[in-house]
Amino acid sequence: MNHDKFLEYVQAENKVEPKDMMPDDYRKLLVRQISQHAHSEVVGMLPEANWITRAPSLRRKMALLAKIQDEAGHGLYLYAATETLGNGEIAADRDTTYNDMLAGKAKYSSIFNYPALSWADIGAIGWLVDGAAIMNQVMLMGNSYGPYSRAMVRICKEESFHQRQGYEILMTLCRGTKEQKELAQDALNRFWWPALMMFGPNDEASPNSQKSMNYRVKRESNDSLRQRFIDVTVPQAEFLGLKIPDEQLKWNEERQHYDFGELPWDEFMEVLKGNGPANKKRLETKRKAQTDHAWVKEAAIAFAAKQKAEV
Ligand code: BYC
């Protein structure tokens, strides 16, 4: 299949499977995006793991543990989907992609470079971070690469539970004492803009969008998903009785959308360069785990080899 035929094939809503012919730039685009998505899932476990021992009740602790385990599972499906793309010339094995992340060469979502400072942040992460992730991932369920698209279906179901557990934490805090409501407002103040930046740069500053749209990997633009997220989230904040920290936020009757202020793009660029509040800590933690827990991997490989020999 030549390049034009391939484009026609994906644009007619057909799925591409691992053994199908595909152009190299399609393969590379997917390796980049799916592996970065996987890195986001496993780095994203860190801010929340920080609160497992301090969850305010057994029920909250169990829900948080289950959520964090789900994120590890999402990482696993996504690394596995990435691995289906390796072809001898383009490396997609887990060691290569993971080491690129540890070396700071591959990105993970900017949002995970912000710390979780209070219990209310765990609520804000579920509500806003998982909420933004679902908005993006529902769109990705329709992407043209079969294994990625199928992984998204399952991930979205689990993310929906994550979003609700976060919103429920905030509902409880907002119905509690004045101090508890202040904690919730403070979490919203700190997580609002970083959550909006999860959708990536504005469309005119997004170098990968055009190709990704042509190949039907991205189905909607960064700005259109961001707008939809704002439109659904503002009423949720109002229901909680919280104020979104944007003086320019206003319903626009003509557009039938909320208008909103300029995002702090300088901060976004700094976070992407590795200078966010927690970038160094996140990578150090993952590098240390790689060394300290190398024995787990070695033991698993030895066990698998022993089982194979016994068959
Ligand atoms: N952070 O041309 P653009 C979760 C990069 S985790 C960092 O628009 P694209 C969860 C972008 O990679 C779910 N980097 O790119 C887990 C590109 O650089 P490279 C996370 C960003 O790919 C635990 C450059 O900027 N979701 O739910 O067309 C606990 C230019 O951007 C960001 C995903 O990973 C960012 N925010 O569009 C709780 C979704 N934005 O790669 C929750 C999968 C942009 O050329 N990814 N960049 O060096 C995507 O959908 C797309 O890659 C993006 C960006 C929409 C993020």
Side-chain angles (χ1 to χ4, degrees):
M1 204 190 305
N2 67 26
H3 190 262
D4 287 349
K5 282 263 173 251
F6 181 82
L7 271 182
E8 222 175 86
Y9 180 80
V10 289
Q11 290 178 3
E13 303 300 331
N14 293 301
K15 296 281 180 220
V16 180
E17 295 299 334
K19 294 208 165 82
D20 292 349
M21 171 273 153
M22 61 186 99
D24 278 356
D25 62 345
Y26 176 78
R27 197 182 286 278
K28 282 185 190 157
L29 185 150
L30 286 168
V31 172
R32 173 186 67 81
Q33 178 167 324
I34 309 176
S35 63
Q36 293 190 157
H37 196 159
H39 305 329
S40 305
E41 300 284 354
V42 299
V43 177
M45 295 166 74
L46 297 174
E48 292 176 294
N50 189 31
W51 279 90
I52 294 172
T53 54
R54 290 176 285 168
S57 68
L58 184 57
R59 174 174 168 262
R60 294 291 186 203
K61 194 191 292 268
M62 279 163 44
L64 184 60
L65 269 171
K67 175 190 192 299
I68 296 171
Q69 281 177 349
D70 285 351
E71 309 299 357
H74 299 173
L76 189 65
Y77 319 146
L78 290 165
Y79 283 119
T82 310
E83 288 194 305
T84 63
L85 288 155
N87 72 348
E89 281 168 31
I90 297 168
D93 60 286
R94 199 176 318 178
D95 281 344
T96 305
T97 53
Y98 196 75
N99 286 332
D100 280 351
M101 187 268 288
L102 291 182
K105 281 197 266 171
K107 298 185 171 77
Y108 55 85
S109 182
S110 49
I111 191 73
F112 302 117
N113 293 306
Y114 292 84
L117 301 176
S118 75
W119 174 249
D121 287 13
I122 298 303
I125 290 173
W127 174 37
L128 300 173
V129 176
D130 287 274
I134 299 174
M135 197 60 82
N136 166 281
Q137 290 170 167
V138 165
M139 173 269 291
L140 288 174
M141 286 196 302
N143 85 78
S144 57
Y145 190 54
Y148 192 25
S149 146
R150 291 188 287 274
M152 285 299 109
V153 175
R154 177 152 178 189
I155 290 178
C156 282
K157 286 187 186 153
E158 292 173 351
E159 300 286 30
S160 156
F161 152 73
H162 299 169
Q163 196 266 356
R164 283 165 207 201
Q165 69 86 41
Y167 194 69
E168 202 232 339
I169 289 175
L170 289 178
M171 238 161 37
T172 307
L173 290 174
C174 289
R175 287 177 186 160
T177 63
K178 181 171 163 287
E179 287 77 13
Q180 285 172 319
K181 192 160 183 190
E182 280 168 7
L183 271 187
Q185 181 64 56
D186 176 59
L188 173 58
N189 293 348
R190 283 179 292 104
F191 275 91
W192 177 249
W193 296 103
L196 297 188
M197 291 189 274
M198 285 175 72
F199 294 96
N202 283 335
D203 292 350
E204 64 277 10
S206 162
N208 299 301
S209 274
Q210 193 56 51
K211 180 177 281 181
S212 192
M213 294 273 209
N214 285 345
Y215 278 141
R216 298 293 188 268
V217 173
K218 252 185 187 173
R219 312 302 312 251
E220 275 186 73
S221 81
N222 298 358
D223 285 334
S224 100
L225 287 171
R226 185 169 14 247
Q227 178 74 62
R228 175 143 5 106
F229 174 73
I230 293 170
D231 291 348
V232 303
T233 309
V234 173
Q236 294 170 357
E238 282 167 0
F239 184 77
L240 290 172
L242 296 178
K243 186 176 174 337
I244 291 192
D246 178 357
E247 292 306 327
Q248 290 173 54
L249 188 77
K250 195 165 178 280
W251 178 252
N252 183 323
E253 196 54 39
E254 203 177 313
R255 290 199 314 120
Q256 288 290 301
H257 289 297
Y258 281 94
D259 290 337
F260 54 96
E262 178 76 2
L263 273 67
W265 293 117
D266 290 350
E267 178 181 314
F268 179 68
M269 293 320 293
E270 281 307 307
V271 173
L272 257 56
K273 276 194 256 161
N275 303 324
N279 291 62
K280 291 189 180 59
K281 192 170 170 207
R282 298 285 179 251
L283 281 184
E284 269 166 32
T285 307
K286 286 292 180 194
R287 284 181 194 136
K288 188 167 181 311
Q290 187 82 339
T291 329
D292 291 359
H293 303 150
W295 67 270
V296 178
K297 197 168 158 185
E298 283 159 21
I301 292 170
F303 182 69
K306 196 171 154 214
Q307 275 197 321
K308 205 171 164 196
E310 279 169 8
V311 174

